[in-house]
Amino acid sequence: MTSRVADILTAEPLKKQQVALARERLDALIACSPENVGYGLGYFVPSQKIPIRKRQFFTIMTADGYATALVASVEYNEAKSRALITDIRPYNEFTQDPAAVLADCLRELGVANGHIGVELDFLPSRTFLALQKELPRAHFVDAERIFDHVRMLKTPEEIDLLRRCGRTVDEVYREVLPEAHPGMSETDLALRLIDRLLSKGVDSVDRIVIGSGERSAFANCPPTRRILCDGDVMRLDIFASIGGYTSDIARTAVIGGATDEQKRIWDALVEGENLVIDMIRPGVHTGEIWRRYVDHYQQKLGIEPTSNFLGHAIGLTLHEEPFIGRYHDHVLEGRTVLAVEPLYFTPTMGLHLEDELIVGADGCELISDGRGPLIEIG
Amino acid sequence: MTSRVADILTAEPLKKQQVALARERLDALIACSPENVGYGLGYFVPSQKIPIRKRQFFTIMTADGYATALVASVEYNEAKSRALITDIRPYNEFTQDPAAVLADCLRELGVANGHIGVELDFLPSRTFLALQKELPRAHFVDAERIFDHVRMLKTPEEIDLLRRCGRTVDEVYREVLPEAHPGMSETDLALRLIDRLLSKGVDSVDRIVIGSGERSAFANCPPTRRILCDGDVMRLDIFASIGGYTSDIARTAVIGGATDEQKRIWDALVEGENLVIDMIRPGVHTGEIWRRYVDHYQQKLGIEPTSNFLGHAIGLTLHEEPFIGRYHDHVLEGRTVLAVEPLYFTPTMGLHLEDELIVGADGCELISDGRGPLIEIG
């Protein structure tokens, strides 16, 4: 039983990390966040996803091609059975300091004095301080950018999971939104969405966002018992997943008839999305897309966009690189899966259109399509 | 508009932090984890709960009674509308470093050179390193224990939320498990549970654990399309919440008839839970409960308990202090809400009974009760 990457032909995530290690001239690369541990193991560790924060998990890759994982012992059975990595080492969450366990492992792997990439954007400060103390000669390098890059361009398998998940969500919106009516609660509607999503094959509904009335202006609010009333704007967003890969697709509906003003804003958002879709192809600068969108927004709505970003990649997490936004400029590449989301927020109302697409060789493939007229319910 | 704690009479969480600040002789106390930020604000910030990790959130209390919160600007509308704290300060997640924003705020509050409690078990290393650089004269103190203590004894309102949530979950198990049958999938069953839970008034179903067959040995696994078959052991755990306060109640069922051996193990777990319930009252040492449980387990099952703990408190998170386990000894106090969970795990089978109770003045009040015979389905 070995954990050398070369022996694990199907383990694309481990091979990609191996390439990154060499490029960055690191001796080891450590993942500790749910998404990067999940990426290396091939599944999200439930204790991290729930989360049970006091349990820490690590995957460690070395430059000479060895991969190992440290898991709190309660997760050992599942890791042993499912993980891409075969060298799984359990530790006792009550008696062992994860930093000490990790340091021992790095010593054993012969990299204790080397250049080690760690996710400083996730690793708890206490663990890092203890690790520095344990390994005073190690040189730690912030690995956030490395992992972002490793996960940015998706494999055909990853794209397939994202496509299946996004298409299912799109289909469920089309079926369930016409069933909504005044007098039902946000929770009633969420339940129908969850039911249909699970029935149609998503693995998990991680979060349904439903905000009606003034709560349509809240960014990611969960559904409540609030009853849908005539005149309400209702904003929905669905984060479901298949094989760990998430959807991020948003819709807006008005209960009863929409006002002319609401329709005018919505149409401008749809045109904004059209403009983006027309521009997307490998080689285009996201900064250029943003500037064209700003021009359009100002021309149609008379103001600057009310959000500082217009899109982002998705994958194992909701917000991945690259972003399309005011402060970003990135050259798009094929095999990126994006969520594009024109938004119009006031302090008491939010209109939100969000669709997913795959950047292909000469353009893009839409996964979902919410570009119809503003939905009116009841 | 002020954020002085004295003015916010209903804000028990802020008052408790104020007491802790004085006791620990701190100049300021900073929360950054979802649960402690949520505790101070009075609701979980959706971006933290989802989570969108790159957005950081902080609440800051000072010794002279001021409370403020730093939020990524997308969460400003909701925070302004809902938070217990009135001084909400948005920052731009793309252009501002949260550590710099936090340092500015601490300087303005006059505590930049003081003793500052921070959650070193959560705060990302990168943020802490930047904060140390910004405030070289500050003395940072690990605040994990402080927050654990602040949240340990529940108010009547918190107990009410936990009671309502736990009772609902217990009721839903009683109704839905008899509807399970061979040939249905784990996902089908999860869907029925979610439906009934939301219909009966929980706010959110955060995770359903269902592991049938060999997956009953996986600690916290989500449901899959696996079809329930005669002879399967199926382990379930439900983490639902009302007002942010969670349930943690587990059941085990056998599809078809249980074996005599399975029944014998189950009965020993039930007796183990009885033994714990009989011992629980304010003043008892959790170490003493553990030792009695170990004696019972060895006597009935001939081995040491297969898990290193037997119970833990619950609240805004699943695993809170105090624990009942091999490595813990804590004197129980009233107003603690506990989950007690006798377990029997092999590498391919898990039997799990878990109920919740409230430690009262002279004994305990059961919230849920799964102590019947081992459930047989179909």
Side-chain angles (χ1 to χ4, degrees), chain A residues 291-344:
Chain A
R291 280 188 294 277
R292 289 277 297 279
Y293 176 72
V294 172
D295 288 345
H296 161 77
Y297 207 98
Q298 285 177 321
Q299 197 187 327
K300 293 287 174 162
L301 298 169
I303 54 171
E304 287 275 306
T306 59
S307 169
N308 285 321
F309 66 104
L310 165 61
H312 53 82
I314 56 169
L316 290 173
T317 65
L318 277 176
H319 283 193
E320 303 196 345
E321 296 293 338
F323 273 72
I324 307 172
R326 189 183 299 278
Y327 312 104
H328 302 82
D329 195 17
H330 182 98
V331 178
L332 279 183
E333 294 178 75
R335 298 193 286 129
T336 305
V337 181
L338 294 173
V340 175
E341 47 179 333
L343 276 162
Y344 184 95

Side-chain angles (χ1 to χ4, degrees), chain B residues 97-218:
Chain B
D97 175 3
V101 174
L102 180 57
D104 280 343
C105 179
L106 294 169
R107 277 188 212 104
E108 185 200 313
L109 294 170
V111 295
N113 301 337
H115 284 65
I116 302 173
V118 286
E119 295 188 72
L120 293 183
D121 60 315
F122 181 86
L123 188 69
S125 311
R126 186 199 294 160
T127 309
F128 184 61
L129 296 173
L131 194 61
Q132 278 185 315
K133 212 164 182 176
E134 287 266 359
L135 305 178
R137 305 180 61 186
H139 181 75
F140 294 103
V141 177
D142 197 335
E144 181 190 25
R145 197 182 41 79
I146 298 171
F147 281 108
D148 282 353
H149 188 263
V150 157
R151 291 190 3 243
M152 193 172 69
L153 304 189
K154 269 65 178 179
T155 63
E157 293 73 24
E158 289 176 300
I159 289 175
D160 183 54
L161 293 171
L162 288 163
R163 186 192 282 115
R164 277 168 53 205
C165 189
R167 282 190 183 169
T168 306
V169 171
D170 194 25
E171 202 176 301
V172 166
Y173 272 133
R174 286 174 202 279
E175 285 183 19
V176 173
L177 285 182
E179 299 170 11
H181 54 80
M184 89 192 297
S185 71
E186 293 171 353
T187 309
D188 294 337
L189 181 56
L191 193 50
R192 289 194 193 205
L193 290 165
I194 294 168
D195 183 310
R196 216 64 63 89
L197 287 161
L198 289 176
S199 305
K200 284 183 183 281
V202 311
D203 289 341
S204 166
V205 182
D206 301 311
R207 169 65 75 113
I208 304 261
V209 173
I210 301 184
S212 62
E214 297 204 350
R215 291 175 63 257
S216 64
F218 295 176

Side-chain angles (χ1 to χ4, degrees), chain B residues 304-331:
Chain B
E304 287 276 306
T306 59
S307 169
N308 284 321
F309 66 104
L310 166 62
H312 53 83
I314 54 168
L316 289 174
T317 65
L318 277 177
H319 282 193
E320 303 196 347
E321 296 293 337
F323 273 73
I324 306 173
R326 189 182 299 277
Y327 311 105
H328 301 82
D329 195 17
H330 182 99
V331 179

